[in-house]
Amino acid sequence: MAETGVDITGDEGNAEAVTADLGVVLAAAGSSQRLGFDKLFTPVLGKTVFQEGLEQILASPRVAEIVVAVSAANEETVRRLVETSPKPVHIVLGGAERQDSVIAGLAALNPALEYVMIQDAARPFVTPDLIERVLAAAKVHGAAVCGHPVIDTLKETEDGQIVLRTLDRSRVWAVQTPQIFYRSFLVEAYAAVNAGGHAVTDDTAAMEAMGRPVALVRHDDLNLKITRKSDWEVGIRQFFPVEDDIKVAGDLRKLVHDFSNQVTSLLGFAYLLDADCPEDSPLKNSINCLNESVQKCHEITLTLQRYGRELHAKKTGLQQGLTNPVPKVAAKAAAKAADAALTPEEIARLSGQGR
């Protein structure tokens, strides 16, 4: 297939109201065994991967309703995280396989919604614009998925040790989520897959088995699935891009320290002038203005120092989340449990300490 995909562009000049006609099944029932801690619900600086992705989905004006498929262990956690959602969010228990979770989610969606989007909760970089483009393609073709042509050389192997052959890279795309379908097509496809006792790891594969076309929508921006430790590190750095700010804050702290020393001297000088100057002196008003200005400068230095301390704390929390998210992030997040809507017991369990 050519490396163009389906080019769907919106009409920015169209002022008509957007119809919320899309239901979403958010697959969040995985076990996160590869990372050793729950990648979706372990907070870093008071925020989780699950919340990051959910916020992006809720921001899409196309989305009318969301069903989250979760494990039994995380059901109550998710209920707390979505209780203030501006749109309807329902929760169902996921199954042993991904397709079981998707089927359960499809059954729970409002039947009036003709189109459904399947999204991996471990892909938190979905955007409203991407949803719009994939939905537009799905409305033309009945099914659409975002992705991009692969850039690596692909090798086929039977045993994971010896190369069998090299595949033609020009014909291969890496697909991701969101995957959007005319709902009745996907329901029909999964019914056929289940009836045949087949397993699929991707929703478009169920459509392919039915012989239905699936459109490709090219998307070259970051849309990784957080699966390995390296993915976690990339994701956290994207959520909290503070390194440059922290460097600036370090330089600023030095300047504020020097400035504060000068202000302290001026405070003493202004106090002495004010004490020695008679009330009826023409200079009294000028001295009062000087004193007020110095006091204001002092307040500014205190504020700048506070910002510096907050950035330092954020840097520490970010570094802990990158290097050792199990014990350290759990401990830091416990102090932010209210912000993250998680209890300290949940945080300990999700990060592996409650076992």
Side-chain angles (χ1 to χ4, degrees), residues 170-192:
S170 67
R171 296 170 57 87
V172 180
W173 278 50
V175 298
Q176 305 156 347
T177 61
Q179 302 185 5
I180 300 181
F181 309 87
Y182 184 61
R183 180 177 177 169
S184 62
F185 287 177
L186 185 60
V187 171
E188 177 188 9
Y190 265 127

Side-chain angles (χ1 to χ4, degrees), residues 4-10 21-22 62 115-116 129-147 173 178-182 185 204 207 213-219:
T4 55
V6 176
D7 184 14
I8 301 295
T9 56
D21 55 357
L22 181 64
R62 292 293 188 182
Y115 287 88
V116 60
D129 174 71
L130 179 58
I131 293 172
E132 180 71 29
R133 293 194 296 123
V134 179
L135 177 60
K139 287 187 174 182
V140 174
H141 300 276
V145 58
C146 70
W173 278 50
Q179 302 185 5
I180 300 181
F181 309 87
Y182 184 61
F185 287 177
T204 58
M207 297 289 285
V214 177
L216 291 168
V217 178
R218 182 160 182 163
H219 182 65

